[in-house]
Amino acid sequence: MKKQLTSLAIAATLAVPALAQQQSVEVLHWWTSGGEASALNVLKQTLEKQGVTWNDMPVAGGGGEAAMTAVRARVTAGNPPTAVQLLGFDVQDWAKQGVLADLNDMAAKGNWDKVVPPQLQKFTKYNGKWIAVPVNLHTTNWLWANKEVLAKAGVTGEPKDFDDFIAAAEKVQKAGFIAIAHGGQPWQDATVFDSVVLSTGGVDYYKKAFIDLDTKTLNSPTTLKVFQRMSQIRKLVDKDFSGRDWNVASGLVISGKAGFQIMGDWAKGEFVNAKKVPGKDFFCYRFPGTQGSGAFNTDNFAMFKLKDPAKTAAQMKMAEDVMDPSFQSSFNVIKGAAPARNDVSDAAFDDCGKKAIKDVAEASKNNTLVGSIAHGHAVPASMKSAFYDVITRHFNGQIDDKKAVAELVSAAKN
Ligand code: GAL
């Protein structure tokens, strides 16, 4: 009897390391703000309940530029993380390298082709195969407003178009508040640009100019007007905007120091994290003039091919967790985005979340859901960076409106 027990004990100890080894994922991401981190906790806890430990690899820096540098280093060193937060064309670029795991079987079983909007599938599939798992459907064309500040400034009602917005912002500035809380970083300037392009030229212009890169459309009075409007916004940010992180800018609106922020709906995650309530403490407006359309960016987890079958098992478990409808609700309620799936109930979402879900469903159906320029869903990374450069130098007054148009056109040509 004793002999049997010992061999049983030995077998059990031998099994533990394999199990323990299998149950871990290393995830590279840039979700380091309050709201982002608490959303990510939902995934960590889901995995930990399934016995999968989470090795966190956060790379701070909104918009993910720094994170992408870290990914390149890890993959070229032949040691990719289990999963990486990737946006839009960056997913396609890695898929071209043949380094992303094939998720097609799981996608077929889960009917992902049906439940994920076609606009997102352009980025989550490569050569017809699923190679990334969409976590959400963020849109960037939002205007966040502090209710009390607007009341004190005598601003009543939602700004209907761009000029309404400027008039409201000027009232807020006159009343002694920061009119527009902004962080002077290229990706944030470009995020504002998304909204101004959509508001000024509409969906057709946006697509032709910034997705098709049609130089005639780019080299037009509409683009000049976009930059003239960016100059108007520049006059309404505070003197300390340069280099400010996006969530610190959100904090200025949350605390009532600023009236507005133009930012994607991850900003809503900061309001939620600060226990603020839509309609009571703040308003979530579609950027004025963009109602009915959406500039979207989807956060995906790309699953890199791994040598170790145990790690691959944990990786696949994570992919399934991310696409689970209840996870898509509990994560995005905190993150501020709409779910990536179109079959998730909005019951758990606040009024801004419900609006986000309704808006993207309509925009997807009406084909007015366009890829965000700022967040890698309009053009590939190299072109995106070239646009960042023009937009930021214009915002910082290094080039004037006309020069900015010319430089944008030449960037698009190369
Ligand atoms: C976006 C990303 C969001 C949020 C934001 C600020 O690119 O899609 O999830 O992280 O950057 O960092």
Side-chain angles (χ1 to χ4, degrees), residues 30-31 36 61-64 85 87 136 138 187 246 266 297-299 335 375:
W30 63 91
W31 287 330
E36 293 170 334
Q85 176 189 357
L87 302 188
N136 56 33
H138 275 300
W187 76 271
W246 70 274
W266 47 88
N297 69 292
T298 282
D299 289 306
K335 185 72 173 64
H375 294 269

Side-chain angles (χ1 to χ4, degrees), residues 291-315:
Q291 295 90 332
S293 57
F296 81 95
N297 69 292
T298 282
D299 289 306
N300 304 288
F301 279 118
M303 304 300 179
F304 280 79
K305 278 179 187 157
L306 303 171
K307 298 184 193 77
D308 176 343
K311 283 208 176 304
T312 306
Q315 180 183 59

Side-chain angles (χ1 to χ4, degrees), residues 165 169 173 177-184 189 192 230-242 244 249 252 258 260-262 395-396:
F165 164 55
Q173 194 168 58
F177 298 92
I178 294 171
I180 301 172
H182 180 66
D189 300 340
V192 172
M230 290 296 286
S231 300
Q232 287 182 279
I233 288 172
R234 172 66 184 81
K235 293 193 188 82
L236 291 159
V237 302
D238 65 300
K239 62 177 177 38
D240 303 324
F241 81 100
S242 185
R244 179 185 286 140
L252 292 172
F260 295 106
Q261 183 184 20
I262 305 163
F395 201 76
N396 295 331

